[in-house]
Amino acid sequence: MIVSHKYRFIFIKTYKTAGTSLEVCLSQVCGDGDVFTEIFPPVEPHRPRNFDGFYNHMSAREIRSRVGADIWASYFKFCVERNPWDKVLSFYWMEKCRSSEPLTLDDFLQRDQIGLNWGLYADDDLGGPVVDQVVRYESLSEELDSLFKTLNVPWAGLRVSAKSEYRQDRRCYRDVLTEPQAEIVKRRFEREISFHGYRY
């Protein structure tokens, strides 16, 4: 995650939404006093710094508590979200490649964390997202170009594709998931699907 005092924004890093790639690029143009959490495994040329008390996939609620109400209220806050069926497959392939034991998709879908991001950037008690913008992964380049132009952040596009090497099956999720698997994703990601209007 990122807290940029130089450009007055907070980036809440969600799962499997190009967050690592974004961090790597932004770490090169943001200030030395900005917060950049560590990435595991490290990705060059990412420059983690000033991250004491912060960690990678930190929730909005935790970040607000750490930076204080004034910074939280005055900085622009954003994250990235992705079609859950596609996101689940991306997450599965990463976990499968990293696992020392065989991992089936059915077994993966029974895990607690399969790419659920809602709790990172939303608060049900407050009616939903607590960020200023949820960037769509499906239109990532266009939305980031516009966002960083507004924030006056030097931006030449997403030039890094971190962790993309894991996914070996690039077929559309509709060609991979069985009906029961797709239904599990629909049920687990009900809030994201309803709020963002994702369709299978």
Side-chain angles (χ1 to χ4, degrees):
M1 55 81 58
I2 304 169
V3 178
S4 177
H5 302 296
K6 182 176 181 179
Y7 295 108
R8 298 174 64 83
F9 74 77
I10 296 172
F11 169 61
I12 297 168
K13 185 179 182 182
T14 50
Y15 292 98
K16 302 309 297 174
T17 56
T20 298
S21 301
L22 188 52
E23 285 177 311
V24 172
C25 293
L26 288 172
S27 76
Q28 307 307 299
V29 300
C30 286
D32 291 337
D34 291 349
V35 174
F36 280 80
T37 53
E38 293 180 292
I39 293 172
F40 300 102
V43 178
E44 291 294 332
H46 181 252
R47 290 180 48 230
R49 51 197 185 266
N50 311 310
F51 53 82
D52 185 39
F54 296 92
Y55 64 92
N56 204 10
H57 293 287
M58 197 168 179
S59 72
R61 180 175 292 186
E62 293 171 305
I63 295 169
R64 184 185 187 279
S65 176
R66 181 80 176 108
V67 302
D70 290 344
I71 286 178
W72 180 261
S74 60
Y75 284 23
F76 188 89
K77 300 163 289 291
F78 74 99
C79 66
V80 182
E81 189 55 285
R82 181 177 186 175
N83 178 299
W85 292 279
D86 188 45
K87 181 174 54 177
V88 160
L89 284 181
S90 180
F91 204 157
Y92 163 68
W93 274 105
M94 183 180 73
E95 293 295 289
K96 178 181 173 69
C97 289
R98 289 179 171 181
S99 177
S100 59
E101 301 291 333
L103 179 64
T104 68
L105 181 55
D106 285 324
D107 288 340
F108 173 75
L109 289 172
Q110 300 308 311
R111 291 184 172 185
D112 289 336
Q113 179 50 274
I114 59 173
L116 293 161
N117 292 326
W118 184 256
L120 295 177
Y121 63 84
D123 188 329
D124 288 330
D125 293 336
L126 298 176
V130 294
V131 294
D132 299 299
Q133 183 175 350
V134 179
V135 173
R136 295 286 187 128
Y137 180 87
E138 293 77 21
S139 53
L140 189 64
S141 294
E142 298 85 351
E143 292 194 40
L144 289 180
D145 287 349
S146 176
L147 173 59
F148 291 136
K149 183 177 181 180
T150 301
L151 295 174
N152 295 311
V153 176
W155 181 251
L158 205 59
R159 304 179 308 280
V160 177
S161 184
K163 302 179 182 177
S164 63
E165 71 276 10
Y166 293 120
R167 191 167 179 174
Q168 298 172 17
D169 187 343
R170 296 283 176 176
R171 289 179 296 162
C172 175
Y173 56 86
R174 285 187 291 267
D175 296 326
V176 177
L177 297 170
T178 64
E179 287 187 16
Q181 289 169 342
E183 187 60 33
I184 290 172
V185 175
K186 180 180 179 181
R187 186 169 65 251
R188 297 283 303 275
F189 290 84
E190 181 180 3
R191 289 173 297 184
E192 294 92 326
I193 291 169
S194 175
F195 187 88
H196 298 292
Y198 282 114
R199 294 289 180 268
Y200 183 67

